[in-house]
Each structure stands twice: as C-alpha cells, then as structure tokens.
C-alpha cells in the first residue's frame, strides 16, 4: 500500500463523512470525547479487512494494538480491488490516529464454508479498559456469503447467526467490562441476533447494539421476549436510499442517514454524512427506496419456504455450475454471457424463472457502476 494514498477515492466519498470525522476527532482520546455511533461505524468498516496472520485468532490469548496490526498488515500481500483498497486506506487512517491507534485487537475469526453455506467474521476491539466493541463483518464478495443472506428469507438461524451466538458466548469475559455489539449490513443482523439469543450472563454485559443498514428479522423474532429484552439497547441506522436495511421487519426504531452517494451505493458506510460527532439525519427514507423495499418484501412473502429455497438454489446454482466464486465475476459479465448461463432455467416454474432473471439483470446493471456489498 502506498503511503499518502488516503487522498484517493475514499476521500472524495467521505467529504463530510467518516474521513472528515476522523480528521476532526482523531486527536482526542475516548476519555476526552466518549466513544459514539460514528466511531462504531468506522470499526465496522475496518472489520472488512482480512486480518489473517495479523490479529490473534479466537482460540489464542494474544492481542495487538491497531497501530501494530497495521504495521504487520503492510508486510502482507494485498488484494488490489477498489473494494479492498478502500478498507486498507481506512485502516491506515485509524492506525495513524491517536484516538484509535492504541485500541487492542483480539479474538479474530473468519471462515467461509461453501458446503455449509456460511460466511462469518468478527473481531474484538478494546476501546478502553471497561469497553470492548465486538464488530461483525457484513457479506464479503464470496458467492456463498450472498447465498447465506438470501437463505435468511426462509431459514433461521442461518449458520453465521448460530456462529455469532457461539462466538459471543465463548469470548465475552470480564466482571466489570461492558460490550458494544455492532455490524454493517449482514454484520448488523448478526450483532442483533447474537444480542438477542446469547446467554443471559452475556446479555447483561451488553451496553449497546448497532446495526448499520442491516436487514431485520421475521415478524416471529421481533415479537419474542428475547428480542424485547434488548430492544432498548439497539440503535439502528439506514441511509436515505436503503434497500438492504429495509428488508424483513424492524421492531426497533431506525434513524435515516444522509449520504453523498446515489441509490444502492448509499449502502457503503463510508458515504454516510457526519456533523461533528453524529450522523446527519433525514426524516425518512426516500419514496423510491421505500417502494422497492415493499416490492421485495411482498415478493419474498408471497413464496412459501419451499418456493424460496427453489428460487435461491436456482439462482446461485447458475454460478456454482459455472465455477464462479466471487460477486465481482458476476458484476463484470455482460447480458450475452449471462444469457448463456441461464438457459438451464427453462425447466423451472415461470414465477421462479422470472424472479431469477430479474435479479440477474439488477446485478449486471449495478456492475456498470461498481461492486456492491451486503
């Protein structure tokens, strides 16, 4: 990674966003200026970095400061896509900031299980002696990660939700320490799910739960007493043009954040607008986003579980058969190439075939702009 590269795309995207906040607040310790939701989003974006060989894993006892972790990371080979470069640049900014550089990283876990259809990653970030953030990664660029997200429409728990509960039950320790669960996109769903279904001893230690444009749950979950027990600790945010965060049900009240990006690209937390130490809020999501979310919900809800599974298996089966492992490979296809892959769909029921075709067109259209991430 080149030194001084922080003036790249991340800087343009983050005008009055996270980067501006880090420059303004970065020289103040959390004792001088308390840790807040904007800090939490920054750490949730950081967890997209692949920390393998950099941060001690879940079963290890070791720790490393954020600054030390960045120094180790610099010596590793790096992926070169924009998706990863932005996270590396954010990592560099945090590592050079007095507010974050001495935060302590530990308990890193990252796994992708194609057979078990699971993508899960999380990390502990000790903000101060009595507060640790557990940050959950959202969906990465793997096809298996995206399939697991879709499986949430008919299956609960999906493997990553179960892993999140096991992870917090195993790693939350300390008599006086408080924990702040947080995640972006699917990571927000995992922060919520683990907070709801962890054991009572762990639940008592939760100070706050953040979901940043994360999908909600089924109506069944939000009506359960386990959910109601942590409801007042939840702080959820979605951007003005939210799609991902509007899926499923949100019993908790969510706040709507302004963004410097249009349409679905607002899902990227680096574009969220910040005023001093808080997000710039709007009254409601825009009408187009709200309407699209309602259409998607209606589309999902009109299928029974068997039909949902058939649709999801058909959609992702196309890419599995073609040997496609990462989302970027789909986004870089043209209609003609994709058409040759979907010819096997003719034997599916018309409504399933239409749903698969519609979603494929949406992905290709978005690929003309840039990779998206759930």
């Amino acid at each position: 990674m080149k030194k001084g590269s922080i003036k790249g795309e991340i800087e343009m995207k983050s005008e009055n966003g996270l980067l501006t906040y880090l420059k303004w607040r970065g020289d103040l310790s959390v004792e001088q200026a308390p840790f807040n939701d904007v800090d939490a989003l920054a750490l949730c974006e950081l967890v997209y970095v692949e920390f393998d060989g950099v941060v001690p894993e879940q079963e290890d006892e070791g720790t490393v400061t954020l600054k030390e972790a960045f120094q180790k990371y610099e010596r590793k080979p790096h992926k070169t896509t924009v998706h990863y470069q932005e996270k590396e640049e954010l990592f560099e900014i945090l590592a050079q900031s007095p507010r974050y550089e001495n935060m302590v990283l530990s308990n890193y876990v990252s796994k992708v299980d194609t057979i078990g259809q699971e993508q899960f990653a999380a990390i502990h970030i000790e903000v101060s002696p009595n507060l640790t953030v557990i940050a959950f990664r959202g969906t990465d660029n793997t096809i298996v990660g995206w399939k697991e997200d879709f499986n949430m429409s008919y299956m609960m728990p999906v493997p990553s939700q179960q892993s999140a509960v096991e992870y917090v039950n195993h790693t939350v320790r300390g008599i006086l320490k408080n924990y702040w669960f947080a995640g972006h996109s699917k990571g927000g769903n995992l922060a919520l799910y683990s907070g709801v279904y962890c054991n009572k001893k762990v639940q008592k230690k939760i100070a706050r739960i953040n979901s940043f444009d994360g999908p909600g749950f089924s109506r069944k979950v939000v009506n359960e007493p386990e959910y109601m027990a942590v409801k007042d600790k939840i702080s959820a945010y979605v951007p003005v043009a939210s799609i991902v965060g509007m899926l499923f049900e949100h019993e908790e009240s969510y706040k709507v954040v302004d963004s410097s990006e249009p349409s679905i690209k607002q899902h990227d937390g680096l574009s969220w607008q910040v005023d001093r130490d808080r997000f710039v809020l709007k009254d409601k999501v825009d009408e187009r986003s709200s309407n699209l979310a309602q259409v998607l919900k209606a589309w999902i809800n009109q299928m029974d579980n068997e039909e949902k599974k058939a649709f999801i298996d058909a959609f992702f089966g196309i890419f599995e058969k073609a040997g496609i492992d990462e989302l970027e490979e789909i986004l870089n296809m043209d209609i003609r190439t994709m058409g040759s892959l979907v010819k096997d769909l003719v034997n599916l029921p018309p409504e399933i075939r239409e749903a698969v075709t519609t979603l494929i067109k949406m992905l290709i259209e978005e690929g003309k702009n840039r990779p998206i991430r759930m």
Side-chain angles (χ1 to χ4, degrees):
M1 190 186 330
K2 296 179 181 179
K3 292 287 185 181
S5 61
I6 60 176
K7 292 186 179 292
E9 182 172 335
I10 185 176
E11 185 165 30
M12 292 186 291
K13 180 183 299 180
S14 295
E15 183 179 357
N16 297 321
L18 274 179
L19 182 58
T20 302
Y21 169 78
L22 296 175
K23 288 180 175 179
W24 173 72
R25 183 50 58 95
D27 61 339
L28 298 179
S29 70
V30 292
E31 287 77 22
Q32 294 171 302
F35 190 83
N36 59 61
D37 287 357
V38 182
D39 291 311
L41 176 60
L43 297 185
C44 290
E45 289 292 328
L46 177 66
V47 79
Y48 282 105
V49 171
E50 296 180 348
F51 288 116
D52 305 74
V54 173
V55 176
E57 296 183 5
Q58 180 181 336
E59 299 301 329
D60 298 335
E61 295 297 324
T63 62
V64 62
T65 66
L66 200 153
K67 183 176 182 178
E68 292 167 343
F70 179 73
Q71 292 169 347
K72 292 175 68 175
Y73 186 82
E74 277 194 302
R75 297 192 288 269
K76 285 183 53 178
H78 303 121
K79 294 188 176 182
T80 57
T81 64
V82 171
H83 171 78
Y84 288 101
Q85 184 180 3
E86 289 181 351
K87 306 312 158 196
E88 291 173 346
E89 291 175 338
L90 177 66
F91 192 5
E92 182 176 11
I93 295 167
L94 295 175
Q96 295 172 353
S97 165
R99 183 172 180 81
Y100 300 93
E101 63 180 359
N102 292 317
M103 291 183 181
V104 178
L105 312 183
S106 65
N107 285 294
Y108 176 63
V109 60
S110 178
K111 56 182 175 180
V112 176
D113 180 355
T114 304
I115 296 175
Q117 297 182 19
E118 176 183 13
Q119 173 262 321
F120 174 73
I123 195 171
H124 279 222
I125 304 171
E126 185 180 273
V127 172
S128 66
N130 67 345
L131 179 64
T132 290
V133 172
I134 298 182
F136 296 91
R137 182 184 294 169
T139 305
D140 58 16
N141 275 350
T142 61
I143 296 300
V144 66
W146 274 70
K147 187 173 184 182
E148 187 182 29
D149 291 337
F150 277 69
N151 286 343
M152 285 183 182
S153 68
Y154 74 92
M155 180 195 308
M156 198 195 77
V158 295
S160 62
Q161 289 173 329
Q162 190 156 354
S163 289
V165 172
E166 293 170 355
Y167 175 80
V168 299
N169 283 344
H170 183 70
T171 60
V172 168
R173 303 186 184 97
I175 298 174
L176 300 177
K177 186 181 287 291
N178 294 308
Y179 287 82
W180 187 314
F181 292 11
H184 170 260
S185 196
K186 184 182 79 172
N189 178 278
L190 298 182
L192 289 171
Y193 189 90
S194 60
V196 170
Y197 292 108
C198 62
N199 65 50
K200 299 302 179 185
K201 186 177 179 180
V202 170
Q203 200 173 71
K204 289 178 181 178
K205 297 179 183 297
I206 301 174
R208 194 168 179 82
I209 302 174
N210 278 142
S211 175
F212 298 109
D213 207 23
F217 297 119
S218 67
R219 173 58 61 183
K220 177 180 179 293
V221 173
V222 299
N223 286 329
E224 289 182 346
E226 293 90 345
Y227 187 93
M228 301 307 292
V230 297
K231 180 183 173 183
D232 291 342
K233 297 180 179 182
I234 297 171
S235 181
Y237 295 90
V238 300
V240 174
S242 175
I243 296 174
V244 176
M246 298 303 292
L247 293 177
F248 311 124
E249 302 297 334
H250 283 275
E251 180 64 26
E252 77 283 355
S253 59
Y254 56 83
K255 298 175 182 177
V256 181
V257 184
D258 198 9
S259 168
S260 62
E261 292 281 1
S263 187
I264 196 170
K265 290 195 284 185
Q266 292 188 10
H267 184 56
D268 191 338
L270 295 177
S271 74
W272 291 14
Q273 298 294 278
V274 178
D275 180 17
R276 296 177 65 83
D277 60 355
R278 63 192 64 192
F279 296 113
V280 176
L281 301 181
K282 309 294 282 187
D283 292 336
K284 59 183 180 179
V285 296
D286 67 31
E287 186 175 357
R288 182 181 177 188
S289 172
S290 179
N291 290 342
L292 180 56
Q294 292 303 318
V295 168
L296 289 173
K297 283 183 185 179
W299 187 26
I300 290 170
N301 291 335
Q302 75 182 1
M303 299 184 192
D304 61 28
N305 285 349
E306 208 170 287
E307 290 171 326
K308 290 174 185 175
K309 185 177 187 306
F311 158 65
I312 293 165
D313 288 345
F315 177 66
F316 287 97
I318 295 170
F319 312 120
E320 291 165 4
K321 185 175 180 180
I324 293 171
D325 298 317
E326 295 198 355
L327 180 64
E328 287 181 7
E329 297 175 64
I330 300 174
L331 296 176
N332 291 330
M333 287 183 179
D334 55 31
I335 291 288
R336 183 177 299 177
T337 303
M338 185 62 74
S340 68
L341 294 179
V342 302
K343 58 186 178 183
D344 293 337
L345 297 178
V346 292
N347 296 322
L348 290 173
E351 63 275 12
I352 301 285
R353 184 169 66 247
E354 182 181 355
V356 171
T357 304
T358 299
L359 189 54
I360 287 171
K361 288 179 178 177
M362 287 173 62
L363 285 173
I364 293 175
E365 183 63 30
E366 186 59 35
K368 295 175 182 178
N369 299 316
R370 52 157 294 155
I372 59 178
R373 185 182 65 249
M374 276 190 77

